[in-house]
Amino acid sequence: MTHMGDVLAGIHSTWEFAADSVLIRFERGIRTPKLFQVLSERRVPYEALSAVELSPGSKRGTVVLRAVPRQGADPLLEAAAGQLKEGSDPYRLVLPAERETLADYYATELRAVLPEEAAKPAEQYLVAAPSAPQSFKAYDGKASFDGSVVAFRWFWTGASTAKWKAGDQFFPVEELEGIEWRSPEGAGGHLRLRARGAEVLVDADHDPASVVFGLGYGPVYESLPFAASVLEAVRAADPAPESVCTSTPTVTRQRSDPADVATRIRHLGELHDAGLLTDEEFTAKKAQLLAEL
């Protein structure tokens, strides 16, 4: 590989090459994606990579050097399940087009050190997840993880009747078999914990093992590092099971109590009147609640 300490600086991040790995350091500027700022830096062993690509950037006058991780090597990407937008991909190094020759040199150097099993899925995580403790605010509750137990504490303004009745939830990682993360940037964003042997019977809004996103709650840069941290701990507790669900399970939708929906809409109206919700946010969430009936 390249000489230890070689550095390739790009837009938003810098790659520093060592004998057995590349250290990706992310900038903290206001234009840097928030996910990168939260990650700060990540050390990626060459054995975690399956390929190296060099292509024109989406913005004119740029090129992109991308290290392609092996399937199952990185809990962050496993949790994301293909839902990360291109600009938030931590394995992309965007460079000015005039540095294409230099980027091509490093791409060639990286390809020379790819492992023999590069095309095969990794048998264990090779890139570290963001470390615990982790926490974030979802729409219906606060999620926290101390490294061994995941806790969901419900908000009276957002939690469904089913979650209120179930009470705050606590999940030791050894009782979990995986997680399901649905990006808050799409419809139905949520984080669902999958207990060993448990069948998913209801949608995330009524499932006490889930928190739901939306209206600015559970942003990618908070909920995805959280999901990856939990996923790594679950795999460490028992490396055998499938630890992430990449397809949406079939669920049975449970209708909400009309009185509960009316109360929650009234609370939303109070937040709207206080200027804490925009007209668009109020209308969207009201429609979501009415759809539960």
Side-chain angles (χ1 to χ4, degrees), residues 3 33 36 42 85 110 116-117 126 128 134-135 139 164 186 197 201 207 212 266 278 289:
H3 297 293
F36 292 177
R42 310 192 82 214
K85 292 183 176 179
L110 280 170
E116 293 182 4
E117 62 275 18
L126 301 170
Q134 295 277 336
S135 66
Y139 177 74
W164 267 117
L201 298 176
D207 182 1
V212 297
R266 186 163 60 251
T278 66
L289 290 172

Side-chain angles (χ1 to χ4, degrees), residues 201-244:
L201 298 176
V202 298
D203 62 18
D205 194 43
H206 298 281
D207 182 1
S210 304
V211 288
V212 297
F213 307 147
L215 301 179
Y217 291 92
V220 171
Y221 64 90
E222 293 182 351
S223 61
L224 181 57
F226 183 103
S229 184
V230 173
L231 194 52
E232 183 181 64
V234 169
R235 178 72 63 86
D238 185 353
E242 286 293 323
S243 55
V244 64

